Amino acid sequence: MSDKNKFSYIQLEDSWLKHLLPEFHKEYMKSLKYFLTSELKKNKTIFPKGSQMFLALNSTPYSKVKVVILGQDPYHGIGQAHGLCFSVPRGVEKPPSLVNIFKELNSDLGIKLPSHGSLLSWANQGVLLLNSVLSVEKGTPASHAGMGWEIFTDRIIDLVNQKEGIVFILWGNYAIKKASKIDRSRHLVLTSAHPSPLSANKGFFGNKHFSKCNEFLQQTGKDSIDWKL
C-alpha cells in the first residue's frame, strides 16, 4: 500500500500532502493527534471543526501560493473560526482585527468596506491564510499553543520559502518572529503592528501592505491579488 493510500484519511490537498506526508509519521504529530482526541473525549469544544482545520492549505495549493498572511491561532468564539487566519464565515460578525484590516484596505486601495468577513476569495487567488496554531479550545485563546502545531506550520513556511518571489505579510510580534525563517533575498517580507485595536494605531494603519504586495507581484511577473470581497 502506498503512503498516500495508507494516509488517505488525511483530508489534505494533494500537492500539500505530497510535501507534508512525512510530518504525519513524526512523534510530534502523533502526540498532537492524541492531545486533540483526548480533549474531545473530555467533551471540550474545539474550533474550527476537524474538516476545516486544513482549509488554508486546501484552498491554496502549494503551486498556487503567491502571498502568505500569518496569524497566531484561530478565533475562539462560536461560529468564528473556519480555518483561514483573520477570516470568519459569511453571516458571522466581523471581529475587531478584521474590521481594522478592512479599514486599511480601504485607506490603501480605496476598496469599499466589505459586508462580510470571509477571506476565501483571497485564498483562492494564492493568499495562504495560515495560522501558526490550527486549533483552539472554545473561549480559551492560545489553549493549543505548544502542542505541536507550530512545528507543522513552521514546516509549511519552510516549504513556501523554497519557492521564488513570495510576499510574506507579518502583522504583530508573534508573526514577525517567523521572519527569521524567510530568505529576504528571494522574497518580500512586510511587517507591521498587529491589526488588533490594542496596536493598530502603532503602525498597522498606513502600512499600505496591500498595494506593496501587488506592486511586488507585478514586478515579478505574477498576477496581482484582487483584494475586493
Side-chain angles (χ1 to χ4, degrees), residues 124-201:
N124 290 337
Q125 295 177 73
V127 181
L128 182 62
L129 296 165
L130 183 68
N131 276 313
S132 182
V133 175
L134 300 187
S135 62
V136 71
E137 182 184 340
K138 172 187 171 183
T140 314
S143 49
H144 291 185
M147 295 299 173
W149 280 127
E150 295 92 340
I151 302 172
F152 183 70
T153 55
D154 279 357
R155 176 59 181 150
I156 293 170
I157 293 171
D158 288 341
L159 287 166
V160 177
N161 186 51
Q162 293 172 21
K163 295 166 69 75
E164 293 293 332
I166 304 298
V167 182
F168 289 85
I169 297 177
L170 309 178
W171 295 326
N173 291 333
Y174 183 89
I176 290 170
K177 288 178 183 177
K178 303 289 187 182
S180 62
K181 298 180 174 295
I182 302 163
D183 183 350
R184 290 175 181 262
S185 70
R186 302 207 319 275
H187 308 296
L188 176 64
V189 179
L190 299 172
T191 63
S192 79
H194 194 276
S196 161
L198 297 173
S199 56
N201 286 313

Side-chain angles (χ1 to χ4, degrees), residues 64-68 122 125-128 163-169 186-188 190 209-227:
K64 301 289 181 64
V65 177
K66 298 190 289 189
V67 181
V68 178
W122 294 2
Q125 295 177 73
V127 181
L128 182 62
K163 295 166 69 75
E164 293 293 332
I166 304 298
V167 182
F168 289 85
I169 297 177
R186 302 207 319 275
H187 308 296
L188 176 64
L190 299 172
H209 282 178
F210 300 103
S211 59
K212 290 176 181 177
C213 171
N214 277 351
E215 287 168 9
F216 180 83
L217 292 175
Q218 291 166 2
Q219 288 167 5
T220 54
K222 298 185 179 75
D223 291 335
S224 58
I225 303 298
D226 180 2
W227 297 106

